[in-house]
């Protein structure tokens, strides 16, 4: 008998929390995953688990599809918190309202049951002119600064700024970036002017291999189609995705790693 196609709700919002993926067997067997492939795999597994376990009748009336992989969900024990370092990288899939940052950070705090995050990094999507300018960054950075003032976030950083962009942000901001991530796929050698400027201003340069658009629209729609039907996948788009990682300070190993993602469906396009 063919597998029954899961009921997919007429939801307009999708939230995914993968839980801790460090020990996922399905990922261990695919060590060369790109970040996009890994995220898509994690979304698919979490969505599939939720749809199969959900009450089919109730599912039809859900408007917010909130999928948490409870089998792998872990909170951070308060008695171990001082020995752990939590880092969050927030990927904006498009230029959402600036309070998107607040929503995403609050979600991490709730899901992991913590009161603060050591470091939050923000990554902007790729624009047509491939230019991240200060006016785009400002409203988002202001919200990050507010989190720092409230001691909910201890330090902040950003991805993919060149020397001039980083200097503009540094000079304008009240809370200075402590990290700038550089994708070596776009520059095989760290630019000398960027290295010099970062050193002079105590900014750590870290390399990464995350694409600017970590979750393309098609990737999300493909995942939904794989777990329901092609029709169900139409008009969905990712709003933001974040990756959190928890490092055991004294041992330098990753204890926890997971993803949280939010997507929406444009109901105006429904037929």
């Amino acid at each position: 008998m063919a597998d029954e196609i899961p009921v997919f709700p007429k939801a307009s919002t999708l939230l995914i929390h993968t839980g801790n993926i460090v020990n996922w067997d399905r990922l261990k067997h695919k060590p060369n995953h790109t970040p996009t492939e890994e995220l898509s795999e994690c979304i698919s597994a979490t969505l599939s688990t939720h749809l199969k376990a959900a009450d089919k009748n109730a599912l039809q009336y859900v408007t917010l599809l909130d999928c948490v992989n409870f089998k792998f969900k872990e909170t951070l024990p308060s008695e171990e918190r001082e020995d752990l370092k939590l880092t969050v990288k927030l990927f904006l899939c498009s230029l959402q309202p600036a309070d998107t940052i607040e929503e995403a950070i609050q979600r991490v705090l709730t899901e992991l049951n913590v009161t603060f995050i050591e470091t939050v990094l923000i990554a902007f999507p790729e624009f047509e002119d491939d230019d991240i300018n200060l006016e785009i960054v400002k409203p988002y950075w202001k919200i990050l600064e507010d989190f720092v003032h409230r001691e909910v976030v201890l330090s902040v950083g950003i991805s993919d700024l060149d020397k001039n962009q980083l200097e503009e942000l540094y000079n304008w901001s009240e809370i200075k970036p402590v990290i700038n991530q550089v994708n070596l796929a776009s520059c095989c050698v760290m630019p000398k002017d960027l290295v010099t400027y970062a050193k002079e201003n105590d900014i750590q340069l870290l390399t990464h291999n995350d694409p600017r658009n970590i979750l393309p629209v098609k990737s999300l729609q493909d995942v939904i189609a794989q777990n329901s039907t092609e029709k169900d996948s139409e008009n969905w788009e990712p709003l933001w995705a974040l990756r959190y990682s928890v490092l055991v300070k004294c041992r330098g190993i990753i204890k926890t790693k997971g993803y949280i993602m939010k997507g929406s469906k444009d109901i105006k396009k429904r037929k």
Side-chain angles (χ1 to χ4, degrees), residues 58-116:
L59 202 58
Q60 298 180 66
Y61 305 100
V62 168
T63 57
L64 166 60
L65 186 55
D66 194 345
C67 307
V68 178
N69 199 328
F70 289 103
K71 180 179 178 180
F72 297 100
K73 182 180 177 181
E74 297 178 5
T75 57
L76 301 192
S78 57
E79 65 273 13
E80 299 178 17
R81 187 64 182 91
E82 65 179 23
D83 298 320
L84 304 173
K85 179 182 180 182
L86 171 60
T87 299
V88 172
K89 184 172 182 179
L90 173 60
F91 302 87
L92 297 176
C93 299
S94 59
L95 288 182
Q96 300 300 312
D99 57 7
T100 292
I101 290 184
E102 183 155 4
E103 175 188 36
I105 291 176
Q106 291 293 352
R107 186 79 181 189
V108 176
L109 297 171
T110 300
E111 292 294 324
L112 298 183
N113 192 29
V114 294
T115 58
F116 68 93

Side-chain angles (χ1 to χ4, degrees), residues 179 258 264:
I179 293 171
S264 71

Side-chain angles (χ1 to χ4, degrees), residues 5 19 37 47 52 59 67 83 85 99 124 129 132 138 145 159 175 188 190 202 206 208-209 214 238 240 243 267:
I5 297 175
E37 290 169 343
L47 181 60
K52 289 177 181 177
L59 202 58
C67 307
D83 298 320
K85 179 182 180 182
D99 57 7
F124 288 87
D129 57 3
I132 307 174
K138 277 182 178 180
E145 290 182 327
S159 289
I175 304 298
C188 298
M190 201 81 75
D202 200 24
L206 300 177
H208 74 98
N209 66 341
I214 194 170
W240 53 262
R243 181 177 60 229
I267 59 176

Side-chain angles (χ1 to χ4, degrees), residues 122 133 186 206:
I122 184 170
N133 64 63
S186 59
L206 300 177

